[in-house]
Amino acid sequence: MCHFTQRSSTLSFAKICSIFWRFHHTSTSHLCSCSKTVSDEKYQDPFQLGRKDLKNLYEDIKKELLVSTAELKEMCDYYFDGKGKAFRPMIVVLMARACNIHHNNSREVQASQRSVAIIAEMIHTASLVHDDVIDDANSRRGKMTVNQIWGERKAVLAGDFILSAASVALARIGNTTIISVLTQVIEDLVRGEFLQLGSKENENERFAHYLEKTFKKTASLIANSCKAVSILGCPDPKVHEIAYQYGKNVGIAFQLIDDVLDFTSCANHLGKPTAADLKLGLATGPVLFACRQFPEMNAMIMRRFSKPGDVERARKYVLQSDGVQQTTYLAQRYCHEATREISKLRPSPEREALIQLTEMVLVRDK
C-alpha cells in the first residue's frame, strides 16, 4: 500500500500541505518512507511486549460491568469477547512503560496506568455501540451489531452503561488531572460526531474539517490516554506532550488507513461492509483526494451521495484516481511525525515497540 512514486504524491499533496501542517503541527520534518521508520535496535513485537500487562484485560473490564439484569450484562459483554485487536490498550501500556523507564528506569506498569488502558477500551467500545446506532450498521468485527440483535433503544442504553462504568473506574483513580484529560475524550467524541454530520463547500475547508473530525472521533482517545499514563508516570510536562503528540499522530494515521481499507479491502476480511462511508454520505480522505482529479464529485459530496448510482460512481472515481495512494501517503506523514516524537524518549524496548507500531498501522489490512 505504501509503494507508489513519491513524485506523484508530492505534487498533489502540496495543495493541502499548508492546511495539513498548519492544522496539526508547528513545524515539519523531512519525510522518510515507512520502510525506514524502524530503529536500528532489535525488532520489538508490540503485542508480545504488552501481553503481560494486558492479561485478563477483558475479564477485568467485565468486572467493571457488574449488573443484575441478565440482558444488559449480555449486551455489555458482547464486544468484550477477547476477539478485538486491543490496539488502544496496547498503545497505552507500552506508552506507560516507555514513560516510566524514561523517568526513573522503572519497568513496571502502575495499577492506575493499567486502569487507563481499561478505561480507554471501555470508552472506545461504548462509542462503537453508539456509532452503530447512528449509522444503522448491521455488522461489526465480523458479527451482528448490538442494535441489530437487541434494537436501537437498548443499544443506546448499553453504550451509556459502558460509558458510566468507565467513568466510575476513572473516578477511582482519584486524580483530578487524569479525570480532566480523559473526560476531554468524551467531549471530543460528541463534537466529532457533530462534525461528521456537517460538510463544507470550500475544498480546503473540507479537508481541514475532515482532519479535525478524524482527530476528535478517533485520535483524541489515543492521544489523551497516552497523555494520562505519562502524567501518572513522569512529572515532566515535555514528556506529557511527547506522549500526546505520539498518540494524536498514530490515531489520525490509523483512521486514514481505515478510510483506505473501506475502498481496498473485502467485507469478509474487514469484518464490516466496504464502501460503508459512501453509503452513509461521508467523504473521507480517498474521496477528497479523488475529487481533485474528478471535480464532478463535488456535487456528489455536497448531496452526500444521495442520488441513485452516486455511491457506485464515487467508488469508481476513487479507484481510478490516486486517492488511495494519497491518503496512504498522508498516513505515512503522520506516522513519521509520531516516530519523531517518541524518539525523544530514552531508548527502551517499549519505545522501539511504539515505533514498530507505526509501521503496523500503515501495513494493516483490517
Side-chain angles (χ1 to χ4, degrees):
M1 214 157 31
C2 302
H3 304 299
F4 46 86
T5 63
Q6 187 170 334
R7 180 177 177 274
S8 64
S9 300
T10 305
L11 285 173
S12 188
F13 179 76
K15 297 177 183 178
I16 65 138
C17 195
S18 60
I19 300 169
F20 164 47
W21 290 112
R22 186 173 69 249
F23 183 69
H24 291 284
H25 302 285
T26 56
S27 63
T28 56
S29 50
H30 184 67
L31 172 70
C32 69
S33 72
C34 60
S35 62
K36 295 181 181 177
T37 54
V38 178
S39 79
D40 292 333
E41 294 198 15
K42 185 179 177 182
Y43 168 85
Q44 298 291 341
D45 181 352
F47 289 90
Q48 190 66 39
L49 262 183
R51 186 167 294 165
K52 171 190 166 187
D53 299 312
L54 295 181
K55 187 179 179 182
N56 300 323
L57 172 77
Y58 292 104
E59 287 79 0
D60 290 341
I61 288 176
K62 289 175 183 179
K63 288 176 185 175
E64 298 286 349
L65 297 168
L66 286 176
V67 286
S68 56
T69 308
E71 187 179 38
L72 180 57
K73 176 173 170 44
E74 188 180 1
M75 292 170 70
C76 291
D77 288 353
Y78 187 66
Y79 285 144
F80 298 119
D81 57 3
K83 295 179 181 177
K85 294 185 285 288
F87 176 74
R88 289 154 189 82
M90 180 64 58
I91 289 182
V92 172
V93 296
L94 289 174
M95 181 61 74
R97 279 217 221 168
C99 291
N100 294 353
I101 291 168
H102 179 83
H103 175 52
N104 59 10
N105 211 30
S106 170
R107 294 188 174 272
E108 294 302 313
V109 172
Q110 301 171 24
S112 58
Q113 290 175 318
R114 188 175 183 276
S115 292
V116 171
I118 289 173
I119 292 163
E121 186 67 1
M122 292 174 75
I123 293 174
H124 170 60
T125 302
S127 74
L128 294 184
V129 174
H130 284 159
D131 276 358
D132 287 343
V133 172
I134 293 169
D135 300 341
D136 193 25
N138 54 30
S139 65
R140 166 81 64 178
R141 295 176 179 171
K143 59 184 183 179
M144 289 179 69
T145 54
V146 169
N147 49 293
Q148 288 295 317
I149 299 173
W150 287 281
E152 289 186 358
R153 291 184 180 183
K154 289 180 178 179
V156 170
L157 294 173
D160 289 347
F161 184 79
I162 295 169
L163 205 53
S164 69
S167 300
V168 171
L170 177 57
R172 201 181 301 127
I173 292 176
N175 185 311
T176 55
T177 302
I178 302 305
I179 291 171
S180 177
V181 168
L182 289 180
T183 50
Q184 181 64 50
V185 173
I186 300 172
E187 178 185 330
D188 285 343
L189 282 168
V190 175
R191 290 184 181 275
E193 196 63 52
F194 270 96
L195 283 170
Q196 185 164 285
L197 293 173
S199 58
K200 298 285 184 181
E201 285 193 43
N202 180 276
E203 191 175 323
N204 288 340
E205 286 182 9
R206 192 185 290 157
F207 211 99
H209 183 93
Y210 164 67
L211 290 175
E212 185 182 4
K213 181 268 296 182
T214 298
F215 168 74
K216 290 187 183 302
K217 283 203 65 178
T218 303
S220 174
L221 174 61
I222 301 173
N224 283 296
S225 298
C226 285
K227 182 178 181 179
V229 292
S230 75
I231 291 170
L232 290 167
C234 177
D236 187 353
K238 291 180 181 177
V239 173
H240 307 163
E241 184 63 15
I242 289 168
Y244 178 86
Q245 291 297 331
Y246 173 87
K248 181 179 83 169
N249 283 285
V250 164
I252 292 174
F254 185 93
Q255 186 58 51
L256 289 170
I257 295 301
D258 214 52
D259 294 342
V260 163
L261 292 174
D262 197 41
F263 289 94
T264 61
S265 185
C266 67
N268 289 340
H269 194 59
L270 200 56
K272 55 186 177 182
T274 54
D277 291 327
L278 287 175
K279 292 168 187 172
L280 292 170
L282 304 178
T284 57
V287 173
L288 296 177
F289 278 118
C291 188
R292 296 170 183 272
Q293 290 174 262
F294 298 98
E296 54 267 41
M297 293 181 72
N298 272 302
M300 286 190 277
I301 290 172
M302 291 311 299
R303 62 177 178 255
R304 300 179 78 87
F305 313 103
S306 58
K307 282 190 176 181
D310 275 359
V311 170
E312 293 75 16
R313 283 177 61 212
R315 189 170 190 275
K316 184 182 74 172
Y317 283 140
V318 167
L319 296 177
Q320 286 177 351
S321 74
D322 63 356
V324 165
Q325 292 89 342
Q326 294 278 18
T327 307
T328 304
Y329 173 75
L330 189 54
Q332 276 186 277
R333 293 294 297 260
Y334 278 108
C335 282
H336 174 65
E337 186 66 17
T339 297
R340 192 181 71 82
E341 287 290 340
I342 201 65
S343 296
K344 296 174 184 176
L345 294 185
R346 179 186 298 181
S348 67
E350 286 74 16
R351 189 193 77 165
E352 299 311 308
L354 287 167
I355 291 173
Q356 181 61 30
L357 208 58
T358 65
E359 290 211 356
M360 294 173 69
V361 164
L362 290 172
V363 300
R364 71 189 182 96
D365 57 2
K366 64 179 179 179

